Amino acid sequence: MSARPALSPLQTIGKLSVATGVKIPTIRFYEQIGLLPEPPRTASDRRLYDDAALQRLSFIRHARQLGFDLDAIRSLLDLADHPDRPCDEANIIAERHLVDVSEKIAQLQALRSELRRMTAECAGGRVSACKVIEALHDHDLCAAGHGRMEGGAMKSRQRRVARLTP
């Protein structure tokens, strides 16, 4: 894992938040859903965290920054907790995520192209003759497939993901 400033033994949630850049409610949420183990508490019920919690939370934050969903992160943490296991599963999870990211990029590129086309066709003037408004009223006027995955695109994605499934 990356070099992060180590906490001195058993620090508060506030110090963990500052050290990782993760907000306190998010830390509590990760505990509730089991991504972070419940920390020991003081007699006054304050949470106390050790360096292992810092490392785990840093891992989660980085995985979230890379766009992994919580289920994928849960699986990756399970793999990280068992370092003697083969890493094939981690690679499969990353490859699935890469397929999703590639599809999102393609959708965003199509969206950009369509918005460029719409704005280029707009000659100014009155809204009654505005090509942007006209295209938003009638999806059939759009030149690019920029909507959510439908039909063939969804089946294509399902086939690619199926190839990655062991």
Side-chain angles (χ1 to χ4, degrees):
M1 301 215 181
S2 67
R4 283 268 185 200
L7 294 173
S8 55
L10 302 179
Q11 294 295 315
T12 64
I13 195 169
K15 291 194 181 195
L16 180 68
S17 175
V18 169
T20 60
V22 177
K23 294 180 179 179
I24 292 172
T26 304
I27 295 170
R28 290 181 181 139
F29 172 71
Y30 290 156
E31 288 172 13
Q32 288 172 349
I33 65 170
L35 290 181
L36 280 176
E38 287 286 327
R41 294 179 180 254
T42 65
S44 62
D45 207 32
R46 293 181 73 190
R47 292 170 166 87
L48 296 175
Y49 298 89
D50 60 12
D51 197 50
L54 172 86
Q55 294 299 320
R56 190 169 184 93
L57 187 57
S58 295
F59 180 101
I60 294 167
R61 181 172 189 257
H62 190 209
R64 291 297 289 160
Q65 288 173 329
L66 289 171
F68 285 97
D69 64 30
L70 295 176
D71 288 335
I73 293 171
R74 186 180 312 283
S75 296
L76 291 166
L77 284 168
D78 182 58
L79 290 167
D81 290 342
H82 299 92
D84 292 335
R85 289 172 53 187
C87 72
D88 295 349
E89 289 179 55
N91 196 45
I92 289 169
I93 292 167
E95 286 176 349
R96 284 183 189 151
H97 186 54
L98 180 59
V99 167
D100 290 340
V101 167
S102 296
E103 287 177 359
K104 286 177 188 174
I105 290 169
Q107 288 173 350
L108 287 171
Q109 288 172 333
L111 177 60
R112 179 180 58 201
S113 295
E114 185 59 30
L115 289 169
R116 282 181 177 160
R117 185 194 65 77
M118 287 169 52
T119 57
E121 288 181 6
C122 186
R126 302 227 171 251
V127 170
S128 61
C130 179
K131 295 298 182 182
V132 172
I133 299 296
E134 187 179 321
L136 292 173
H137 275 294
D138 187 356
H139 193 276
D140 291 337
L141 296 175
C142 292
H146 56 82
R148 297 179 71 77
M149 285 188 299
E150 298 171 1
M154 180 60 92
K155 289 177 185 167
S156 174
R157 179 192 185 280
Q158 289 169 339
R159 283 192 300 271
R160 286 192 303 274
V161 170
R163 284 195 311 254
L164 299 173
T165 305

